[in-house]
Amino acid sequence: MSNTFNEPECPFCLRNIFYQINSKRILTDINIRIERSGITGIVGPSGSGKSTLLRLLNKLVSPSEGRILLEGQDYNTIPVRELRKRIGLVQQRPYLFPGTVRYNLQYGPKIWEVTHSEETLVDLLTRVALQKEFLDRDVDGLSGGEQQRVSLARSLANKPSVLLLDEPTSSLDIVSEEIIENTVKDLARDGTKIIIVTHSLEQTRRLTDHLLFLKEGRLIETVPTASFFEKYNEEEIRGFFKAKTKEDSL
């Protein structure tokens, strides 16, 4: 990653991004170029603007100032529905539509008049370690870990080029966490760009290749994960990964 924008095609870039709610400044002058490959983590102390940055990337909120580019194309020229097809989002608490797992997996593609075959639907479930019998189960009867895996599979049904993850395993059991992490690694190897917000020091070590380090709404640095853990001492790093507070919903 770098903070320059010399290339005609910008894989995923934020230029001079400011974001505020009323008079409260959340993000200040963010400039980032995120490359296509690897898993990028967004880390920093509570209240540093990590989740807000992720929501900007999915256009759940819009910057107060600045531009966001995807493959060299300004966000403002991309219809929201198309953007959210290209950029999937899995949040900490899964939100599933009432009905069956099958209905949830088919929902997004049907908007684009795409009908996935039974084989494709089963493959989506296989990627998140669920059996085909789950297709016709009602989502209300699933465990939290199963719902999160269905949420991930639903995002994958749209074949996104970028997948945003906002603490996707923070409330899951160890088995579900491992399944989702393995799926994320496979997706990255297959060419999907992964950007993840995590408060887990261990998960950051296991998953990420590069880090965006935020503090008080500012980008402190972009750095390879290995270099980050070499640069800061153990006490400092643990301070960056404190448990989530109410303030950090921003």
Side-chain angles (χ1 to χ4, degrees), residues 157-193:
N158 284 323
K159 299 181 179 179
S161 58
V162 180
L163 184 62
L164 309 177
L165 304 169
D166 193 358
E167 296 192 80
T169 65
S170 62
S171 59
L172 301 186
D173 59 87
I174 294 176
V175 173
S176 295
E177 178 180 47
E178 183 177 4
I179 289 169
I180 287 179
E181 286 189 3
N182 288 338
T183 301
V184 167
K185 290 176 184 176
D186 289 342
L187 290 168
R189 280 194 291 267
D190 291 343
T192 302
K193 177 63 195 180

Side-chain angles (χ1 to χ4, degrees), residues 6-248:
N6 298 326
E7 297 79 3
E9 291 295 314
C10 209
F12 211 158
C13 294
L14 289 80
R15 299 181 177 180
N16 308 116
I17 294 295
F18 291 78
Y19 180 76
Q20 64 183 50
I21 301 175
N22 298 322
S23 60
K24 181 177 175 59
R25 179 68 59 79
I26 309 299
L27 295 173
T28 301
D29 200 18
I30 302 294
N31 286 276
I32 307 170
R33 175 190 168 93
I34 304 175
E35 299 295 347
R36 291 179 177 85
S37 61
I39 299 175
T40 298
I42 303 177
V43 300
S46 292
S48 57
K50 301 183 293 297
S51 292
T52 296
L53 179 58
L54 208 68
R55 290 198 291 267
L56 283 169
L57 298 181
N58 195 243
K59 213 170 185 179
L60 291 175
V61 295
S62 297
S64 304
E65 298 179 37
R67 299 174 64 206
I68 303 177
L69 306 177
L70 178 64
E71 303 295 338
Q73 187 175 5
D74 193 303
Y75 260 35
N76 291 330
T77 68
I78 307 173
V80 173
R81 192 170 69 171
E82 179 186 339
L83 182 72
R84 292 181 183 163
K85 178 179 184 293
R86 296 166 65 181
I87 304 176
L89 173 65
V90 177
Q91 302 187 73
Q92 179 182 3
R93 293 179 179 84
Y95 172 78
L96 298 175
F97 303 120
T100 64
V101 171
R102 181 190 300 274
Y103 175 77
N104 274 268
L105 298 185
Q106 292 175 330
Y107 184 89
K110 279 187 175 180
I111 293 175
W112 298 93
E113 299 182 351
V114 173
T115 301
H116 283 325
S117 67
E118 188 81 1
E119 181 181 1
T120 298
L121 296 178
V122 171
D123 180 64
L124 286 168
L125 289 185
T126 300
R127 299 192 77 171
V128 296
L130 293 175
Q131 296 75 36
K132 66 178 182 180
E133 289 76 16
F134 275 81
L135 278 174
D136 296 308
R137 291 192 186 181
D138 194 286
V139 296
D140 286 341
L142 303 181
S143 69
E146 290 166 347
Q147 288 185 356
Q148 188 67 303
R149 285 186 263 167
V150 171
S151 179
L152 176 55
R154 185 178 64 183
S155 289
L156 300 183
N158 284 323
K159 299 181 179 179
S161 58
V162 180
L163 184 62
L164 309 177
L165 304 169
D166 193 358
E167 296 192 80
T169 65
S170 62
S171 59
L172 301 186
D173 59 87
I174 294 176
V175 173
S176 295
E177 178 180 47
E178 183 177 4
I179 289 169
I180 287 179
E181 286 189 3
N182 288 338
T183 301
V184 167
K185 290 176 184 176
D186 289 342
L187 290 168
R189 280 194 291 267
D190 291 343
T192 302
K193 177 63 195 180
I194 307 292
I195 303 174
I196 181 171
V197 168
T198 177
H199 275 80
S200 168
L201 186 154
E202 292 76 17
Q203 186 173 74
T204 300
R205 289 185 192 272
R206 290 193 300 266
L207 274 185
T208 65
D209 302 296
H210 293 88
L211 297 177
L212 308 178
F213 177 34
L214 299 180
K215 187 175 182 180
E216 298 179 349
R218 295 180 180 273
L219 179 67
I220 302 303
E221 62 181 337
T222 63
V223 62
T225 300
S227 299
F228 178 82
F229 283 98
E230 291 172 358
K231 179 174 182 178
Y232 297 99
N233 64 46
E234 189 74 12
E235 183 177 351
E236 289 175 314
I237 289 174
R238 292 197 177 278
F240 304 150
F241 289 87
K242 287 180 180 178
K244 189 172 185 177
T245 65
K246 182 178 181 181
E247 182 185 13
D248 202 41

